[in-house]
Amino acid sequence: MNCLDFRRRITAEPRSRDADLLAHRDSCKEGCAPFWQRAQRFEDDVESALAGIPVPDGLADRILLAHATDERRGQVRRRRSWMAMAASVLIAFGGVGLVWRHMDGTSLPALAVAHMPWEMDSLNMTRPMTDAQVEAGFVGRSAHLKGPAPAGVTYVHDCTVGPYPAVHLVTRMNDEPVVALYMPGKMSDADSDFHRDGWDGRQIALSGGTLVVMAQGASRNTMDAVARGWREAIEGPVAPSVGQI
Amino acid sequence: MPPVHKDVNPKQRQYEAMVRALSADLYRFAFWLSRSETVAQDLVQETFLRAWKNLDALRDAESAKPWLITILRREHARLYERKRFDTVELDDSVPEDAAFASPERSGDAAQVRDAMLKLPEKYREPLAMQVLGGMSCDEIAEATQQQPGAVMTQLFRARQRLKAMLGGRAAAEGGRT
């Protein structure tokens, strides 16, 4: 390293502890050591001048306050957006609930059960109706039986279930009254069982309408027998299929 | 200064410690960069707000100051993108015979500061990064995306300018060599 290089490097990096620089400083006879000393003193002055700029009082605290305020504002913003999201979810659930309640309230099982409080006396009747009386009940609703009515029909009446015209029947089997509501023209897609307000029932899709069979505390066998009996009476006896003989 | 509260989370503790330890140095650097106390305060505040958002990028305590200086420089550049100030550029060329003219003492701190304020930004900035930020030529080169040799030249010329300004005044005042 020559003196020019040394002085250039020391001027650019006075505090450098590079071994080559220090070796040149210690060995040079051309005045590089005094140059190095002057450079150090000059750097002392520069450092103290640059670092001597007074810092405003409370600068750190003001920065922390600004940060805390910014964070808190962010928290409030995040909390508000969470609350808005939660409210949206609640509203959505509420809406779904209302729709479900409306749909459930207008279902055939709901309408059938709601019809019963005015017809409870019909469950206590025990005198069998004649086939002609039963047939007359269906004629009143523009419907005809295609097969024999089940035995033990104790009540027949043309009623309205919700908005649907219906034939209201009570069949007493094994001393258990079973209600059958046939709504001609009211089509449904599939059969389904229900349990509602103390009533066990079944909604049965027929070719010309819908049959709802229900009872309070009747055995499953009785329900099945009554449902089968009314299905065959309304749609006609089921033709035996191959393998069913 | 009251101690940092213990039930604050580690990130918050690190941030508070960093603000308390480095805000003064950062302010001084910002002042020399912008030559304005008001702008310097705004720059420091904005720098720390940005630092908080990226605090996970800081790996060790030693690199905190260069990291903050890099953020501050970026903020300063953004500030100037929004609002351009008139700057007075001084002549870059340094007479060769004055290259090593070093005054024995460079006068009082006020004179050095005056001279520093007159330095063009391209010299003032690397000098402040080196003197206040404790950054080496290589670190400055990396932060400013320049070659180390170019930074070395800027630092050399920055000091030569200072010496020339201070030496000239000293000579006019009766010579202090």
Side-chain angles (χ1 to χ4, degrees), chain A residues 7 11-14 38 41 43 45 47 49-56 61-64 66-67 71, chain B residues 12 15 20 27-28 31-32 41 44-45 52 100 104-106 112-113 130-131 137 152 156 159-160:
Chain A
R7 293 180 186 206
T11 303
E13 293 184 293
R38 284 198 302 276
R41 285 198 295 272
E43 196 62 13
D45 289 344
E47 278 178 7
L50 263 61
I53 292 296
V55 176
D61 289 331
R62 276 205 303 282
I63 292 166
L64 291 174
H67 161 70
E71 275 294 288
Chain B
Q12 186 74 30
Y15 180 75
R20 293 191 192 286
Y27 169 80
R28 292 187 186 104
F31 173 80
W32 288 117
Q41 284 192 55
V44 173
Q45 196 144 309
W52 166 259
F100 303 115
E104 194 67 31
R105 296 291 293 168
S106 47
V112 179
R113 282 183 205 129
Q130 186 187 51
V131 174
C137 273
M152 188 84 83
F156 173 83
R159 286 193 174 82
Q160 289 309 109

Side-chain angles (χ1 to χ4, degrees), chain A residues 152-169:
Chain A
V153 178
T154 57
Y155 179 76
V156 59
H157 196 265
D158 50 346
C159 295
T160 303
V161 175
Y164 308 112
V167 184
H168 186 152
L169 306 140

Side-chain angles (χ1 to χ4, degrees), chain A residues 1-26 31-44, chain B residues 99-100 102 127 130-131 137 152 155-160 163:
Chain A
M1 176 177 288
N2 61 35
C3 294
L4 188 65
D5 286 340
F6 173 82
R7 293 180 186 206
R8 275 192 166 276
R9 288 276 307 276
I10 286 298
T11 303
E13 293 184 293
R15 302 300 196 205
S16 174
R17 306 302 297 168
D18 183 88
D20 289 345
L21 285 174
L22 299 182
H24 180 86
R25 177 197 65 186
D26 296 339
C32 283
F35 178 87
W36 183 86
Q37 283 177 345
R38 284 198 302 276
Q40 298 307 307
R41 285 198 295 272
F42 180 70
E43 196 62 13
D44 290 344
Chain B
F100 303 115
S102 173
L127 188 62
Q130 186 187 51
V131 174
C137 273
M152 188 84 83
L155 290 168
F156 173 83
R157 287 184 175 170
R159 286 193 174 82
Q160 289 309 109
K163 287 171 187 173

Side-chain angles (χ1 to χ4, degrees), chain B residues 11 32 49 79 141 153 155:
Chain B
K11 183 181 176 184
W32 288 117
L49 283 178
L79 184 74
T153 303
L155 290 168

Side-chain angles (χ1 to χ4, degrees), chain A residues 173-196:
Chain A
M173 189 176 283
N174 303 328
D175 207 29
E176 293 172 329
V178 179
V179 175
L181 293 164
Y182 177 57
M183 286 153 273
K186 168 60 185 164
M187 310 308 291
S188 51
D189 295 334
D191 297 356
S192 61
D193 291 340
F194 64 87
H195 179 82
R196 195 179 187 99

